[in-house]
Amino acid sequence: MDRPLIELPRLFDVRLNAIEKIGENLDKLKLEGPVALLSGKKTYQIAGKKVQQVLEDHHREVHTFTVCDDSIETANEAIEFFKEINAFFAVGVGGGKVIDVAKYASHEFNIPFVSVPTAASHDGIASARASLKGVDIKGSFPAKAPIMVVGDIETLAKAPKRFTISGCADIISNKTAIMDWELSQRITGEHMSSYASTLSEISAISMIEAREEIAKDPIKGAYHVFKGLITSSMAMCIQGSSRPASGAEHLISHSLDQILKKPALHGEQVGLMSIFTMFLHGGNWKEIRETLEIIGAPTTAQQIGASAEELIQAISIAQSIRPDRYTILSTGVTEKAIVNALVKTGIIDKEEL
Ligand SMILES: [Zn+2]
């Protein structure tokens, strides 16, 4: 069978003060030459500055670039910047936007990329795709899997709790993403990698098992969630697409991003929608809802700032965003069925209709 190449990160450093060890790890990877350090305004203060200091102490020539948004224009500016400084490798220090821009730009400029997330908020930290804003909508672009992922637990645990919770909910949603994949395998004959799907499922199960600790202990919580995000990212690297961790719940979240004036965090939206799609699949949706409740993630439309009407609309158009990705919504779920599922799962209240 013709399978694409599998690209995986080479080094993972997940520990309390991992940032302090970046220099040594770069030596191990033989990464030398001018460094392009990409960071956000805030995240530079939180961790970028420290990374720069450690790199300079290790005799690296560091040039900084501020990422203000996750648009294609910004990513292209970053590529120009790489050219100017003759960058040998890039280090992205920040949240999802910084990581996506750094990941895409280093792929286009063909240099290694080091991922230093400042929040454990989504599973793109080590995957080979970048989500960037195009002319009018957000799109997913091919990118480079990082050569090294640095999970500085102390930094991650200091991030607002909402981010870690969102990351955890993103991983929990792998449960329904896999069910959509299985459904597609049965109905359309789509190939399903048992290696990638098992990894993805393990990451979701580990979140359910660690839910109490994630809720109560910021350090242990950041550690569990970061490990889960890496596992989920690996599943996507092995598959060469987001399929193992992205089903109908992700499609609905993408349409919510378009519909809502102020969308909630990615993980908050996909976690909530995972309750809904699990109900449609006839699976254990109560377990997902209970886990989200325990960790403090949204379990109602109101909590993500969506009206019943907006949510129903988002679900109705979700499959059209990506018709080629077969999900439970491809089976012809009617509006009546959508409303019924939303009310039965408590996502919306009957009174709101
Ligand atoms: Zn996701």
Side-chain angles (χ1 to χ4, degrees):
M1 197 177 7
D2 196 20
R3 303 276 291 130
L5 275 178
I6 296 174
E7 217 188 297
L8 294 169
R10 272 184 57 197
L11 265 188
F12 290 100
D13 193 4
V14 186
R15 52 182 147 167
L16 267 181
N17 296 303
I19 285 177
E20 286 168 17
K21 308 290 176 201
I22 286 186
E24 291 164 33
N25 288 330
L26 291 177
D27 290 342
K28 276 183 204 146
L29 292 168
K30 306 256 180 294
L31 282 180
E32 283 158 4
V35 190
L37 192 147
L38 281 70
S39 200
K41 261 193 195 134
K42 266 194 202 162
T43 46
Y44 178 76
Q45 294 304 329
I46 294 168
K49 218 171 167 178
K50 197 170 162 192
V51 172
Q52 184 176 6
Q53 190 61 55
V54 174
L55 291 175
E56 284 171 351
D57 289 348
H58 272 78
H59 316 292
R60 296 302 198 282
E61 178 191 325
V62 185
H63 299 266
T64 57
F65 178 92
T66 307
V67 175
C68 26
D69 59 32
D70 54 353
S71 66
I72 281 280
E73 291 79 40
T74 302
N76 286 333
E77 281 169 25
I79 297 169
E80 284 304 312
F81 170 73
F82 291 173
K83 270 187 210 158
E84 273 166 37
I85 65 160
N86 194 19
F88 273 50
F89 64 100
V91 180
V93 186
K97 287 176 188 170
V98 173
I99 301 294
D100 277 338
V101 167
K103 206 198 281 179
Y104 174 80
S106 49
H107 171 73
E108 291 294 305
F109 196 61
N110 200 20
I111 52 172
F113 156 62
V114 175
S115 177
V116 190
T118 49
S121 58
H122 71 107
D123 60 10
I125 47 170
S127 70
R129 293 204 70 86
S131 172
L132 295 170
K133 276 193 200 116
V135 184
D136 27 58
I137 57 159
K138 251 190 153 183
S140 172
F141 296 86
K144 193 181 270 294
I147 191 160
M148 170 163 79
V149 181
V150 179
D152 186 294
I153 298 299
E154 199 171 319
T155 303
L156 297 168
K158 276 187 198 151
K161 201 176 174 200
R162 196 180 160 203
F163 289 145
T164 313
I165 291 170
S166 173
C168 182
D170 194 11
I171 308 167
I172 290 165
S173 83
N174 288 6
K175 281 226 153 206
T176 46
I178 297 162
M179 289 176 98
D180 279 332
W181 199 5
E182 282 168 346
L183 182 73
S184 178
Q185 186 191 35
R186 283 199 301 277
I187 296 182
T188 73
E190 181 183 344
H191 171 74
M192 186 175 180
S193 148
S194 55
Y195 186 17
S197 63
T198 305
L199 261 188
S200 170
E201 187 157 24
I202 286 170
S203 64
I205 293 170
S206 68
M207 290 303 99
I208 296 170
E209 283 173 356
R211 59 193 188 180
E212 308 285 347
E213 267 188 346
I214 292 167
K216 288 181 200 137
D217 187 329
I219 293 277
K220 281 187 185 157
Y223 184 69
H224 282 303
V225 174
F226 199 77
K227 253 176 53 184
L229 293 172
I230 286 176
T231 312
S232 188
S233 287
M234 290 307 92
M236 290 190 271
C237 285
I238 287 164
Q239 180 58 25
S241 81
S242 61
R243 191 43 143 158
S246 169
E249 73 297 318
H250 272 66
L251 296 180
I252 302 168
S253 174
H254 295 322
S255 61
L256 280 170
D257 288 341
Q258 291 173 27
I259 290 170
L260 298 181
K261 275 200 192 88
K262 203 173 173 290
L265 294 178
H266 170 78
E268 293 174 332
Q269 294 184 168
V270 298
L272 175 67
M273 285 300 96
S274 194
I275 305 174
F276 167 75
T277 58
M278 187 58 103
F279 179 90
L280 295 181
H281 274 291
N284 190 356
W285 60 272
K286 286 184 182 163
E287 181 186 49
I288 295 187
R289 188 176 69 177
E290 196 181 75
T291 304
L292 294 176
E293 269 169 2
I294 290 172
I295 62 166
T299 55
T300 66
Q302 211 185 11
Q303 288 168 330
I304 61 157
S307 68
E309 200 186 328
E310 285 168 327
L311 188 56
I312 294 164
Q313 193 202 347
I315 297 169
S316 308
I317 62 162
Q319 193 62 50
S320 65
I321 290 180
R322 197 163 175 189
D324 59 314
R325 176 148 295 180
Y326 195 92
T327 75
I328 190 77
L329 297 177
S330 312
T331 58
V333 181
T334 61
E335 189 171 319
K336 199 175 157 200
I338 293 171
V339 173
N340 176 55
L342 290 175
V343 171
K344 283 245 168 75
T345 51
I347 295 172
I348 60 169
D349 200 278
K350 242 188 179 160
E351 307 296 310
E352 291 176 67
L353 296 165

